[in-house]
Amino acid sequence: MAILGLVGKPNVGKSTLFNAMTEKVADIGNYPFTTINPNIGTSFVSSPCPCKELNIQCNPNNSKCIDGIRYIPVEIIDVAGLVPEAHKGKGMGNKFLDDLRQADAFIVVVDASGKTDLEGNSTENHNPAEDVKFLLDELDMWIYGILTKNWDKLSRKAQQQKNTSKIISEQLSGLNISEEQVDNAIRNLDDSPIKWTDNDLLYLAKTLRKLSKPMIIAANKADHPDAEENIKKLREEFKDYIVIPTSAEIELALKRAEKAGIIKYDRTKNDFEIINESLNDAQKNALNYMKEYLKKHNGTGIQELLNRAYFDLLDMIVVYPVEDENKYCDKKGNVLPDAYLVKKGTTAKDLAFKIHTDIGNKFIYAVDARKKIRIGADHELKDGDIIKIVSAA
């Protein structure tokens, strides 16, 4: 399962965002390094469930279905706030960076209100685009530091063995950087690694960060009056990135109001209904403000952030393995029991291995349950496919 890492300087609402999107509650505070140890929680991406289209009642096992929308669990990691020169050990420094090793993609959280400086202290009129720049620099220098450790010895070894990509990917194995990604990154460099300059190595670090750690920007605190102009600046400065305005505070408040039985929150329509009328004026005013925000911005941005991170950034699709292609169920009769997030380009045989190694090894063929046709091992799956795997296992 691909893991998302929340990154950003202190006091941008990162822990609030984490709590708003997960089932776990992290400490929330207005002071640097509220998060000392990484928080890991479960969140959900949403996708239309085939149950509505097929007019059947599903029985989810590894996910949940609400009003025809399937919610598939994903893992989120929130680490300590990053400050300039973290790669040199400043702030939580290298601990922060090491905690991020397992992330496959990053959500870069910035304060769209412009009320915090680069180190997370209170200020006025700060441009959040500067936060993204310094954060990218820190990540580049982090990869550069690992890449260049014992570089003289490493480059000579690569030169002798004539397998530069493999040697470098082994050096960076802890960062989930593949040999293929290294191969793509070094295409514009000299064939001889011992000739690479410091600038070449920094270029390589930046390129590898782009290839291996794709990013989406969460312009948080988007409910602040100054946020609109700052979000515009972010989109102008980072045209190649997806920028999603978010209000983690509003999402978390609505989540808590829902849990307390005060509202019924319709996440599909981005609206809610007050079901507890015994509220005071202040509570009613707060809820009315949140309702207007949802209406104006078509939601809090939290679900959109998650969906776009997985479906656009990580290029994933949802498929549904079944054992009976006629009833769309497993052996126990559970209809559409499992929803799997897989990369675009995943084949029927890849899915078989994802279900179980033995099923993959003894794969015979698969069946497209909708079309009731047999498909081969190399057939590429599409979003929403319902697939039966036939194997000798």
Side-chain angles (χ1 to χ4, degrees), residues 305-320:
L305 183 67
L306 284 160
N307 286 355
R308 295 203 67 183
Y310 278 92
F311 298 135
D312 295 346
L313 202 63
L314 289 169
D315 222 18
M316 304 193 92
I317 59 172
V318 184
V319 295
Y320 299 82

Side-chain angles (χ1 to χ4, degrees), residues 5-15 17 31-35 77-84 86 90-93 96-97 100 106-111 116-120 128 130-136 138-139 215-218 220:
L6 295 184
V7 298
K9 69 186 185 186
N11 292 335
V12 294
K14 204 155 47 63
S15 292
L17 184 68
Y31 53 92
F33 313 119
T34 307
T35 307
I77 181 168
D78 169 34
V79 298
L82 184 66
V83 296
K90 193 171 179 183
M92 293 300 294
F96 164 92
L97 295 165
L100 281 178
F106 295 147
I107 293 177
V108 179
V109 189
V110 298
D111 178 0
T116 46
D117 65 17
L118 281 177
E119 297 199 354
E130 297 302 315
D131 301 347
V132 180
K133 288 177 188 174
F134 104 75
L135 197 137
L136 296 182
E138 287 301 323
L139 293 171
M215 300 185 187
I216 187 169
I217 299 170
N220 199 33

Side-chain angles (χ1 to χ4, degrees), residues 59-258:
N59 311 100
N61 177 34
N62 74 340
S63 48
K64 54 189 180 182
C65 183
I66 302 171
D67 297 328
I69 301 296
R70 186 65 74 110
Y71 292 88
I72 303 113
V74 292
E75 200 167 326
I76 311 290
I77 181 168
D78 169 34
V79 298
L82 184 66
V83 296
E85 298 191 344
H87 70 278
K88 294 180 180 178
K90 193 171 179 183
M92 293 300 294
N94 293 322
K95 182 186 185 309
F96 164 92
L97 295 165
D98 284 343
D99 288 339
L100 281 178
R101 286 175 184 268
Q102 59 193 296
D104 298 284
F106 295 147
I107 293 177
V108 179
V109 189
V110 298
D111 178 0
S113 73
K115 300 298 180 188
T116 46
D117 65 17
L118 281 177
E119 297 199 354
N121 301 310
S122 294
T123 189
E124 295 292 328
N125 304 317
H126 178 74
N127 184 354
E130 297 302 315
D131 301 347
V132 180
K133 288 177 188 174
F134 104 75
L135 197 137
L136 296 182
D137 286 343
E138 287 301 323
L139 293 171
D140 291 340
M141 293 308 295
W142 171 49
I143 296 172
Y144 171 83
I146 298 168
L147 175 66
T148 56
K149 192 175 181 181
N150 302 319
W151 177 249
D152 286 344
K153 182 180 176 182
L154 198 73
S155 60
R156 285 196 300 272
K157 184 180 177 183
Q159 185 90 352
Q160 289 164 2
Q161 296 186 9
K162 296 185 178 178
N163 199 342
T164 304
S165 297
K166 185 180 180 184
I167 300 297
I168 292 176
S169 66
E170 286 172 354
Q171 176 83 345
L172 302 173
S173 60
L175 301 180
N176 288 335
I177 294 176
S178 69
E179 190 174 333
E180 183 184 3
Q181 287 167 338
V182 176
D183 203 40
N184 287 331
I186 65 176
R187 282 179 182 172
N188 294 327
L189 297 177
D190 193 288
D191 288 341
S192 175
I194 58 174
K195 293 180 182 178
W196 294 352
T197 64
D198 269 353
N199 282 339
D200 290 332
L201 291 168
L202 189 54
Y203 161 83
L204 179 55
K206 286 181 179 181
T207 307
L208 287 171
R209 186 257 304 158
K210 289 175 185 175
L211 291 172
S212 67
K213 305 292 182 188
M215 300 185 187
I216 187 169
I217 299 170
N220 199 33
K221 305 185 186 180
D223 49 310
H224 191 279
D226 295 339
E228 197 169 331
E229 187 60 34
N230 284 325
I231 291 166
K232 188 179 174 184
K233 289 176 186 175
L234 281 166
R235 285 179 168 150
E236 286 171 353
E237 187 80 33
F238 298 98
K239 290 185 172 69
D240 294 337
Y241 289 80
I242 299 168
V243 178
I244 306 293
T246 61
S247 177
E249 280 198 355
I250 289 179
E251 179 69 27
L252 188 57
L254 291 174
K255 199 173 182 179
R256 287 173 174 170
E258 180 182 42

Side-chain angles (χ1 to χ4, degrees), residues 368-384:
D368 181 324
R370 272 200 182 86
K371 297 177 181 176
K372 305 294 188 286
I373 59 171
R374 184 183 291 205
I375 56 177
D378 296 333
H379 177 86
E380 283 193 15
L381 304 179
K382 301 186 301 297
D383 188 46

